Structure formats: structure tokens, C-alpha cells
Amino acid sequence: MKKYALLLALFSGVCFAKPQVYFGADALSNSSAYSLQSGFYFPVNQELDFGYDVDFTQWNQDVHSFGINIKPAFRKQQFYLAPIVGMHYFSGDIDYSYSLGAEVGYDFERVTLRAGYKDVDEEFYDNDAFYVGVAVRFD
């Protein structure tokens, strides 16, 4: 019963929090690879945001993916660390796969500078990458 009360408290707080919408773009360490995101996050408290985004990633010339990520952000003032877990659909013969990653960032007034690493379960050329990027937030 305690578990259900905790979940209810967490989700009720998230449901009433004002969401922040963002659009982002990343340059991947793979040659000419990039990623575009659109998402939102809900401030849970001063140290935690709970977020989701949709993501299009061009991994290499032949493979791209489209998916949904869950991205909680653990904050310390303007800095944050965010583990990322997602499910993506890939072009070609790959079909669906999960993705894992982590991101660090720094928030300015409306802009976030970030760097991270992402990896997918499927084996193909350049199936993981480091990245740097920027996101613009809207109220």
C-alpha cells in the first residue's frame, strides 16, 4: 500500500506542475550525424525534473531512428545530470530497439547547452555516439 501512495503522490505532483516545452538539436561524434528533439518536462521539485521527448536521430548515411525517451533530470542549480532511456524505431532491417544514454547540461535563461552519450541495443555501424547540443525552452 505504501508503494501505491508514493506513486500517487509522485504522479499527482507531476500532473499539476507547469510543463516546460523545449526543442533541441545535437551534433553526434559520428560523421555527419545529428539528432533533433521536441519534448517537455515537469518540475517535481528544485532538484528533479521529469521529462519526455520525441527524438529523430540520423546515426549514419544508412540508418536513422525515431523514438520516445524518458529523461529525468537531477539538478544542482543550473547544472543537471540526466539518464536517458528510450524506445526507437529504426530504418532498414533493424526495426525496434531500446536506447540508453546520459546527458549533462547547463541552463541559461531560455537556452540549455548540453553534452552526452547515447547507445542503442542493435548492432550497426556507428550505433553509439557522443554528442554536444543546444535546446531552447518555452513556457
Side-chain angles (χ1 to χ4, degrees), residues 11 22 38-42 50-54 68-71:
F11 285 117
Y22 65 90
S38 177
F40 57 92
Y41 65 87
F42 296 96
F50 196 78
Y52 303 90
D53 65 28
V54 292
I68 297 174
N69 299 313
I70 298 173
K71 187 175 171 181

Side-chain angles (χ1 to χ4, degrees), residues 33-101:
Y34 63 92
S35 181
L36 304 172
Q37 309 85 29
S38 177
F40 57 92
Y41 65 87
F42 296 96
V44 175
N45 58 41
Q46 288 184 343
E47 296 176 350
L48 176 65
D49 293 337
F50 196 78
Y52 303 90
D53 65 28
V54 292
D55 177 320
F56 172 84
T57 301
Q58 185 71 45
W59 293 92
N60 59 42
Q61 281 186 324
D62 301 321
V63 178
H64 63 271
S65 69
F66 183 78
I68 297 174
N69 299 313
I70 298 173
K71 187 175 171 181
F74 300 94
R75 299 192 171 277
K76 192 67 167 179
Q77 297 174 344
Q78 286 94 353
F79 289 97
Y80 71 87
L81 171 64
I84 303 168
V85 177
M87 180 57 74
H88 289 247
Y89 177 78
F90 287 81
S91 63
D93 296 332
I94 298 172
D95 206 17
Y96 287 95
S97 177
Y98 69 85
S99 65
L100 298 173

